[in-house]
Amino acid sequence: NAGVTQTPKFRILKIGQSMTLQCTQDMNHNYMYWYRQDPGMGLKLIYYSVGAGITDKGEVPNGYNVSRSTTEDFPLRLELAAPSQTSVYFCASSPPWDRGWDGYTFGSGTRLTVV
Amino acid sequence: QKEVEQNSGPLSVPEGAIASLNCTYSDRGSQSFFWYRQYSGKSPELIMSIYSNGDKEDGRFTAQLNKASQYVSLLIRDSQPSDSATYLCAVKAGGGNKLTFGTGTQLKVEL
């Protein structure tokens, strides 16, 4: 059971480039989330999804886009990368609160540097 | 105003001592509380959850919740060097599944 898989693990982007961070889960979780973690700043929610076709903004959505065409996949798109997007990105998933929810399952993270 | 606050540390304790990690939150409607451990360069992993006032014990870990004071803590007994990590407090407010995280407390267990 792979859990939550993120790719790539590391990436260096030039300012203005675009890329997609991939996230796949095999636990049939309805809910999926994207967080970014900057040093000393904790985890900030970028976007989340409650199911296929449904997404919503989190605390820091500017500069990012998401889509959720299937239950398994929740890619995060960066358009026109900026140095402020240098961070570690974590994808997570969970079942609904009323179905044995006990926190998130996190992916291993993507370390992104924009130069 | 931060919604979930933690002392960033580092908190240094000798091996075998009790480490006490604290967290306060601002939303009185918060229902569920979690402690995650994060080793450097790794993803967070859940170590404790607590939903009701009082204490919850799991091995060397004890989570304590006081909703009236909006305070949650994590005690680690018999601290080991392998406990050296950053501990993230996370809170789920009423409704929805989103967690709000604190900035984390770095714990160092010294030999």
Side-chain angles (χ1 to χ4, degrees), chain A:
Chain A
N1 193 341
V4 179
T5 302
Q6 289 185 240
T7 56
K9 293 190 183 302
F10 304 94
R11 182 73 184 269
I12 298 174
L13 275 183
K14 293 184 178 180
I15 295 172
Q17 287 185 322
S18 300
M19 75 165 294
T20 299
L21 282 65
Q22 301 292 344
C23 177
T24 299
Q25 55 94 6
D26 61 1
M27 297 170 286
N28 201 32
H29 285 169
N30 298 78
Y31 290 75
M32 297 187 74
Y33 318 83
W34 275 105
Y35 283 84
R36 59 176 287 173
Q37 186 176 35
D38 301 324
M41 297 299 291
L43 290 153
K44 300 291 187 185
L45 182 64
I46 305 171
Y47 271 96
Y48 66 100
S49 170
V50 303
I54 306 170
T55 62
D56 206 348
K57 296 178 181 179
E59 185 180 357
V60 289
N62 292 342
Y64 307 94
N65 279 299
V66 294
S67 60
R68 183 95 182 270
S69 57
T70 67
T71 298
E72 293 79 17
D73 299 309
F74 190 40
L76 177 71
R77 178 82 176 163
L78 279 71
E79 303 283 1
L80 299 175
S84 61
Q85 294 178 304
T86 294
S87 189
V88 180
Y89 292 83
F90 289 104
C91 179
S93 72
S94 74
W97 171 246
D98 59 352
R99 298 183 189 176
W101 192 84
D102 195 24
Y104 296 165
T105 300
F106 280 94
S108 59
T110 295
R111 187 175 298 273
L112 174 67
T113 302
V114 181
V115 297

Side-chain angles (χ1 to χ4, degrees), chain B residues 21-94:
Chain B
L21 306 165
N22 304 313
C23 172
T24 59
Y25 59 95
S26 60
D27 185 349
R28 284 195 170 274
S30 298
Q31 297 178 337
S32 310
F33 308 86
F34 304 86
W35 284 99
Y36 284 82
R37 178 176 62 200
Q38 186 176 27
Y39 293 113
S40 181
K42 301 295 185 182
S43 58
E45 57 178 324
L46 180 68
I47 55 172
M48 288 288 288
S49 60
I50 187 166
Y51 306 102
S52 303
N53 279 329
D55 295 359
K56 178 182 178 183
E57 186 174 319
D58 184 0
R60 296 188 295 113
F61 299 97
T62 299
Q64 299 175 317
L65 175 61
N66 184 325
K67 289 186 178 181
S69 299
Q70 296 176 245
Y71 177 93
V72 59
S73 65
L74 179 70
L75 300 178
I76 306 175
R77 292 182 298 281
D78 188 23
S79 295
Q80 302 297 309
S82 59
D83 294 325
S84 297
T86 295
Y87 289 80
L88 302 169
C89 173
V91 174
K92 183 180 112 56

